[in-house]
Amino acid sequence: MNTHILEYTFEEFIEVIKKFHGAPAPGVVIGGFMVDTAIRSLPNDILYDAVCETRSCLPDAIQLLTPCTVGNGWLKVIHLGLFALTLYDKSTYKGVRVFLDPKKVEPWQEIKAWYFKLKTKKEQTLEGINKEIKEAGASILTVQKVELRPEAVEKKHKGKIGVCPTCREAYPLNDGATCLLCQGNTLYTQESRM
């Protein structure tokens, strides 16, 4: 069983996760095997983008192991609630989707308890789950060849930038006569922005 995740040993990858994510969360650890599997399933000479189907943990594995990040726009997080990722050729939209397969997780009691939330966090131990993840490796994953719909992963460009007449901050003019914050799409109480 291969316990390497790209150029990292399992233990090295755990340390990388700790520095970036804060703890060796099982979702990021499994995500490492998922990214490794996806990259090994693609031709070597393509430029690829990524799609992640969950907001939890898995995007961090993609950002740690590929040049695809949310910031550069090569990683799209489209929350479908599925523990899956896709790496695909930027020009053809063809690629591979890798997911954590419930059927293949069945014999792995600690992974299963984590994945299906059969135990509380207090009842689980990262060491126990990650020990099983190391043993299971990519055997708990399924790979599918896919072709993405271009409109589903199309990059949205900001367009022209202007200054909001209400708050005086720069914003994409495509958003309307004022910025989204001044249109009421706010994270803040009115008093806290004063």
Side-chain angles (χ1 to χ4, degrees), residues 84-100:
L85 64 84
T86 299
L87 298 184
Y88 65 95
D89 185 310
K90 292 176 187 254
S91 60
T92 66
Y93 300 98
K94 292 180 181 178
V96 293
R97 180 178 185 264
V98 180
F99 68 94
L100 182 55

Side-chain angles (χ1 to χ4, degrees), residues 7 22 32 34 37 39-40 52 73 104 108 126 168 172 179 184 194:
E7 73 271 12
M34 293 170 74
T37 299
I39 289 173
R40 292 177 192 277
C52 187
K104 294 178 181 179
W108 301 95
L126 285 178
R168 309 299 308 156
C179 74
M194 299 291 167

Side-chain angles (χ1 to χ4, degrees), residues 44-68:
N44 290 332
D45 59 345
I46 66 165
L47 290 174
Y48 58 85
D49 278 355
V51 172
C52 187
E53 298 178 27
T54 181
R55 294 183 288 248
S56 302
C57 292
L58 190 52
D60 284 356
I62 296 167
Q63 293 181 116
L64 281 168
L65 296 170
T66 75
C68 304

Side-chain angles (χ1 to χ4, degrees), residues 124-194:
Q124 300 174 23
T125 66
L126 285 178
E127 297 79 23
I129 301 166
N130 287 337
K131 181 178 182 284
E132 276 197 1
I133 293 169
K134 181 179 181 181
E135 290 171 25
S139 74
I140 56 178
L141 309 175
T142 292
V143 179
Q144 301 168 316
K145 288 187 180 202
V146 295
E147 183 173 347
L148 284 99
R149 293 187 349 247
E151 65 274 12
V153 292
E154 184 177 89
K155 288 186 181 18
K156 307 266 188 283
H157 298 285
K158 287 183 191 174
K160 292 187 178 184
I161 304 294
V163 175
C164 176
T166 306
C167 70
R168 309 299 308 156
E169 290 190 46
Y171 77 104
L173 291 172
N174 288 339
D175 289 346
T178 61
C179 74
L180 293 176
L181 209 57
C182 290
Q183 290 177 40
N185 298 308
T186 184
L187 305 170
Y188 313 102
T189 62
Q190 190 59 37
E191 302 80 42
S192 70
R193 275 192 80 211
M194 299 291 167

